[in-house]
């Protein structure tokens, strides 16, 4: 049994080394460069720790690991052939025996290459769609494993190489049994790799979304993932190796095989107990078992209604369905959607408050909240939520900082900007120091803007193009107008001003998250006013309910009169009165003429 034990140990060692190499690849692509980032001091400290993991990318260590993996692979494959047929190294002298040995070696090598190629084409995606897509490759993998057992097996075609007949002289050949044992081993390998993929995906999700508190990969998170990969691969390779030994196509009795199967059975039970305990704990503490944010929070997932959005583009206006539903993404995957209402958003807020230690839907919940308030065209609530989320999530942080250069010049927005200048809480790179400077200039805080341009230069930023210090500033811009739909002021309506972009064709939550300037509810006469605006080019849109304006109206059945197109404000034209924007439509069908 020495070679059998050595085979299992070499396979386990190969699994541990493969886990280490996977960690090296993750570290190379996952830890970001923070030299030009805006980070909390905690995030900066975590990333600086990441620099201590640079040894993972050291070429000597990487080359050593690759060499060890190569040696272990060669040793494992050699031992595998010895496990399949202990007589495979017998030196034969006769021509026919040598030819058979060569034929067996060629056939076995072809099967091994085919197994590796097939494994690389299997996604190991545990869904019905994934299984259907991988079906042919899975079947071929199992059949090829059976062929390897049949070709190389002591009870198969190779036998003892003393003749071209199957099996060993004096013992009946068992080709079908050899093939079935190989197919069973191949099927077990597939199941083990599926389990590894499931476990890795689950642990990656748990680590990224809950255990690793930052919205990017940190050394702490990578270590968790590295430990899990190496441990899982180590144990599962041991399980696979012990199964291969028990199912080898050699001359063993049924009792001997059953005795050998006790080892993988015991490993499976221990592994099942560990995994079950971990899953139950993760489910209870981090909502690991919940399908999506809606299930975790306890709110409906799908919208029950849709409103109508009208985008007043240059040249033509555009109708768009505006479903009362928002979705959010976590760090590595979708968190699902929720039916949008202020009550449901309040429940998501409560969910985050309840799960201060994190859950697998923490970051998706942050995005749903930000998207939700902007989707409702509640600019103040959206900005406030974005500011709260920016303390943990990067995208709200960066988009809010960018917006503060264009938002209305009001105390609330200036307070957000000032909060980001606290160097006792934030690591501010030269790039973001320049953005902060532009934000202060937008608020007509010239001295503070100049001070931050100086800081940006000290931090290595190129300030040669920072011409905003010498440009005139507008803080009292104003846009006003009136909206009517079929001659009446629309009810249940919100009017919004967004930054113009010639590529805007359809409004999305991300459009509003990054380009919304302000939103208002018109008064009883349909009048709206946006004030405290800065220089820029803007578009107008409004959202109303489908009873006021159905979104499924053919283009020839509605029109927008006096649509403003691009609204430009500067110091020469600080105010625009748009007059009355008239939207008219008809839901009557055109009479069909008789033939």
């Amino acid at each position: 049994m020495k070679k059998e034990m050595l085979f299992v140990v070499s396979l386990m060692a190969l699994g541990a080394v493969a886990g280490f190499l996977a960690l090296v690849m993750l570290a190379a692509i996952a830890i970001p460069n923070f030299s030009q980032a805006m980070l909390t001091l905690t995030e900066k400290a975590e990333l600086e720790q990441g620099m201590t993991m640079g040894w993972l990318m050291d070429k000597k260590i990487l080359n050593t690991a690759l060499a060890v993996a190569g040696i272990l692979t060669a040793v494992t494959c050699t031992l595998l052939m010895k496990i399949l047929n202990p007589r495979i190294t017998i030196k034969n002298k006769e021509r026919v025996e040598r030819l058979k040995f060569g034929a067996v070696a060629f056939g076995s090598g072809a099967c091994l290459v085919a197994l590796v190629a097939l494994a690389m084409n299997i996604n190991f995606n545990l869904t019905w769609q994934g299984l259907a897509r991988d079906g042919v490759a899975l079947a071929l993998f199992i059949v090829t494993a059976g062929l390897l057992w049949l070709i190389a097996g002591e009870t198969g075609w190779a036998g003892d190489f003393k003749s071209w007949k199957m099996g060993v002289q004096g013992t009946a050949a068992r080709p079908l049994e050899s093939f079935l044992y190989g197919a069973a081993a191949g099927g077990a390998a597939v199941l083990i790799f599926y389990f590894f993929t499931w476990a890795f995906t689950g642990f990656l999700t748990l680590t990224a979304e809950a255990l690793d508190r930052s919205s990017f990969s940190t050394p702490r998170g990578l270590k968790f993932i590295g430990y899990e990969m190496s441990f899982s691969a180590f144990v599962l390779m041991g399980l696979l190796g012990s199964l291969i030994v028990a199912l080898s196509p050699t001359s063993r009795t049924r009792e001997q095989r059953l005795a050998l199967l006790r080892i993988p059975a015991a490993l499976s039970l221990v592994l099942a107990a560990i995994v079950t305990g971990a899953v139950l704990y993760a489910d209870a503490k981090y909502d690991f078992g919940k399908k999506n944010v809606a299930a975790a929070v306890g709110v409906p997932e799908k919208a029950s209604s849709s409103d109508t959005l009208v985008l007043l583009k240059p040249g033509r206006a555009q109708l768009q369905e505006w479903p009362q539903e928002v979705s959010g993404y976590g760090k590595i995957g979708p968190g699902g959607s929720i039916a949008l209402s202020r009550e449901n958003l309040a429940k998501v807020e409560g969910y985050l408050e309840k799960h201060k230690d994190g859950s697998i839907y923490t970051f998706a919940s942050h995005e749903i909240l930000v998207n939700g308030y902007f989707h409702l065209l509640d600019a103040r609530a959206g900005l406030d939520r974005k500011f709260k989320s920016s303390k943990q999530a990067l995208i709200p942080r960066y988009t809010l900082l960018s917006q503060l250069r264009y938002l209305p010049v009001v105390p609330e927005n200036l307070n957000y900007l000032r909060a980001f200048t606290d160097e006792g809480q934030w690591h501010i790179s030269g790039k973001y120091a320049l953005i902060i400077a532009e934000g202060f200039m937008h608020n007509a805080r010239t001295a503070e803007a100049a001070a931050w341009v100086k800081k940006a230069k000290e931090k290595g930023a190129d300030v040669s193009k920072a011409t905003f210090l010498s440009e005139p500033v507008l803080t009292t811009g104003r846009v006003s107008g009136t909206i009517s739909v079929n001659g009446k002021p629309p009810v249940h309506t919100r009017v919004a001003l967004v930054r113009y972009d010639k590529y805007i064709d359809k409004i999305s939550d991300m459009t509003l998250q990054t380009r919304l300037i302000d939103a208002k509810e018109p008064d009883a006469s349909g009048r709206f006013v946006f004030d405290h605006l800065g220089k820029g080019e803007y578009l107008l849109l409004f959202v109303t309910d489908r009873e006021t304006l159905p979104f499924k109206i053919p283009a020839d059945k509605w029109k927008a009169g006096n649509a403003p197109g691009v609204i430009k404000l500067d110091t020469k034209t600080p105010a625009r009165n748009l007059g009355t924007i008239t939207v008219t439509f008809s839901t009557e069908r055109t009479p069909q003429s008789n033939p």
Side-chain angles (χ1 to χ4, degrees):
M1 291 294 291
K2 288 183 179 179
K3 66 178 179 296
E4 285 83 357
M5 289 300 298
L6 185 59
F7 170 69
V8 173
V9 170
S10 67
L11 203 55
M12 294 172 77
L14 181 59
V17 173
F20 173 78
L21 287 171
L23 175 61
V24 170
M25 288 190 290
L26 279 175
I29 64 175
I31 297 181
N33 180 351
F34 65 90
S35 61
Q36 293 300 315
M38 175 85 174
L39 304 171
T40 66
L41 295 185
T42 301
E43 290 170 345
K44 180 175 179 289
E46 287 176 337
L47 284 176
E48 285 176 339
Q49 289 177 13
M51 298 302 102
T52 65
M53 294 179 69
W55 62 272
L56 284 173
M57 279 74 82
D58 184 271
K59 285 187 177 181
K60 291 182 180 178
I61 291 176
L62 180 59
N63 290 335
T64 301
L66 288 170
V68 170
I71 293 169
L72 284 171
T73 299
V75 170
T76 302
C77 288
T78 302
L79 288 170
L80 172 63
M81 299 310 296
K82 284 286 290 179
I83 298 299
L84 299 183
N85 192 333
R87 303 168 186 266
I88 205 163
T89 57
I90 294 175
K91 293 182 180 180
N92 300 298
K93 296 180 180 180
E94 298 179 11
R95 176 180 172 81
V96 171
E97 295 166 348
R98 290 181 179 179
L99 285 174
K100 183 174 183 180
F101 187 91
V104 169
F106 177 80
S108 301
C111 286
L112 284 171
V113 171
L115 287 172
V116 172
L118 287 166
M120 292 177 67
N121 282 283
I122 299 173
N123 293 310
F124 297 106
N125 181 5
L126 272 176
T127 63
W128 289 115
Q129 294 88 346
L131 290 171
R133 184 174 56 250
D134 293 340
V136 174
L138 287 170
L140 288 174
F141 185 93
I142 293 169
V143 170
T144 304
L147 287 175
L148 175 60
W149 259 239
L150 174 62
I151 292 169
E154 184 183 37
T155 57
W157 181 54
D160 56 10
F161 300 101
K162 292 188 180 296
S163 72
W164 285 93
K165 293 181 180 180
M166 287 192 178
V168 178
Q169 286 186 351
T171 304
R174 298 195 293 272
L176 179 60
E177 185 179 285
S178 296
F179 178 82
L180 292 177
Y181 280 144
V190 167
L191 290 175
I192 286 170
F193 281 115
Y194 266 110
F195 179 82
F196 177 82
T197 302
W198 172 83
F200 171 71
T201 302
F203 196 79
L204 179 64
T205 301
L206 181 63
T207 300
E209 303 289 356
L211 303 179
D212 203 352
R213 305 293 176 77
S214 299
S215 59
F216 49 81
S217 298
T218 66
R220 179 172 178 264
L222 286 174
K223 286 176 183 177
F224 280 148
I225 295 167
Y227 295 153
E228 187 275 337
M229 283 192 300
S230 294
F231 174 76
S232 296
F234 179 80
V235 174
L236 291 173
M237 284 298 199
L239 175 59
L240 177 60
S242 59
L243 276 171
I244 288 173
V245 169
L247 296 172
S248 62
T250 51
S251 300
R252 287 197 177 104
T253 65
R254 184 170 298 178
E255 290 72 21
Q256 288 173 323
R257 292 191 188 281
L258 289 174
L260 288 171
L261 282 171
R262 292 173 186 169
I263 298 173
L267 278 173
S268 298
L269 287 174
V270 171
L271 193 62
I274 293 172
V275 171
T276 301
V279 168
L280 290 174
Y281 176 78
D283 188 18
K285 187 170 177 64
Y286 301 112
D287 281 342
F288 181 75
K290 297 294 192 299
K291 180 183 177 182
N292 49 36
V293 173
V297 176
V299 297
E301 183 178 356
K302 297 297 180 182
S304 58
S305 63
S306 293
D307 288 338
T308 302
L309 184 147
V310 181
L311 176 61
L312 299 170
K313 295 170 58 177
R316 64 183 178 89
Q318 181 173 295
L319 282 184
Q320 179 181 328
E321 183 179 2
W322 197 239
Q324 293 307 289
E325 177 182 311
V326 288
S327 60
Y329 273 75
K331 288 165 66 175
I332 61 173
S337 60
I338 69 166
L340 182 59
S341 69
R342 292 188 182 274
E343 293 77 13
N344 288 347
L345 291 177
K347 289 180 180 179
V348 178
E349 297 261 15
Y351 177 80
L352 285 178
E353 186 66 24
K354 181 180 176 181
H355 290 80
K356 289 183 177 179
D357 290 337
S359 86
I360 65 167
Y361 295 116
T362 294
F363 293 96
S365 295
H366 278 295
E367 186 167 318
I368 281 175
L369 285 170
V370 173
N371 284 342
Y373 287 117
F374 278 104
H375 195 101
L376 291 172
L377 294 183
D378 188 337
R380 181 50 50 205
L383 291 169
D384 190 53
R385 181 65 251 177
K386 188 179 278 194
F387 178 70
K388 290 176 182 177
S389 295
S390 69
K391 297 172 184 177
Q392 188 172 4
L394 291 178
I395 292 178
R397 182 185 311 165
Y398 292 161
T399 56
L400 179 55
L401 274 165
S402 180
Q403 281 179 286
L404 290 173
R405 300 174 295 173
Y406 311 107
L407 292 173
V409 182
V410 294
E412 294 90 342
N413 295 335
L414 183 59
N415 288 339
Y416 294 143
L417 183 63
R418 287 219 163 101
F420 283 122
T421 65
D422 184 354
E423 294 184 271
Q425 295 187 41
W426 299 98
H427 160 75
I428 306 168
S429 68
K431 172 184 175 181
Y432 283 95
L434 207 54
I435 290 174
I436 288 171
E438 192 174 353
F440 276 121
M441 197 64 198
H442 173 70
N443 283 268
R445 307 282 172 165
T446 308
E448 289 170 284
W452 276 95
V453 167
K454 183 179 178 181
K455 281 189 179 185
K457 185 176 182 179
E458 291 170 354
K459 292 173 181 284
D462 179 9
V463 300
S464 61
K465 296 180 181 179
T467 58
F468 52 82
L469 287 177
S470 58
E471 293 175 357
V473 178
L474 175 66
T475 62
T476 57
R478 181 183 175 92
V479 172
S480 61
T482 303
I483 287 182
S484 73
V485 177
N486 274 358
K488 298 179 181 178
V491 295
H492 310 301
T493 298
R494 299 279 296 179
V495 183
L497 203 64
V498 297
R499 287 179 58 219
Y500 170 66
D501 185 319
K502 65 180 180 179
Y503 297 108
I504 292 179
D505 185 57
K506 189 175 182 181
I507 298 297
S508 66
D509 288 333
M510 184 53 69
T511 308
L512 295 179
Q513 230 201 90
T514 56
R515 309 197 75 82
L516 180 67
I517 299 298
D518 203 358
K520 303 282 187 180
E521 185 174 343
D523 64 18
S525 66
R527 180 172 170 75
F528 59 87
V529 177
F530 296 104
D531 48 21
H532 306 294
L533 300 174
K535 293 186 299 181
E537 293 181 330
Y538 307 100
L539 288 179
L540 201 69
L541 64 85
F542 68 91
V543 173
T544 190
D545 59 54
R546 61 191 300 177
E547 286 73 27
T548 300
L549 178 61
F551 53 78
K552 289 186 178 180
I553 302 176
D556 61 342
K557 295 293 183 181
W558 78 283
K559 64 179 180 178
N562 196 35
V566 179
I567 305 164
K568 184 175 181 179
L569 298 181
D570 52 33
T571 52
K572 294 180 180 179
T573 310
R576 288 283 305 276
N577 185 344
L578 306 179
T580 299
I581 301 164
T582 59
V583 176
T584 57
F585 69 93
S586 171
T587 56
E588 295 180 2
R589 293 185 178 182
T590 304
Q592 297 291 323
S593 59
N594 294 323

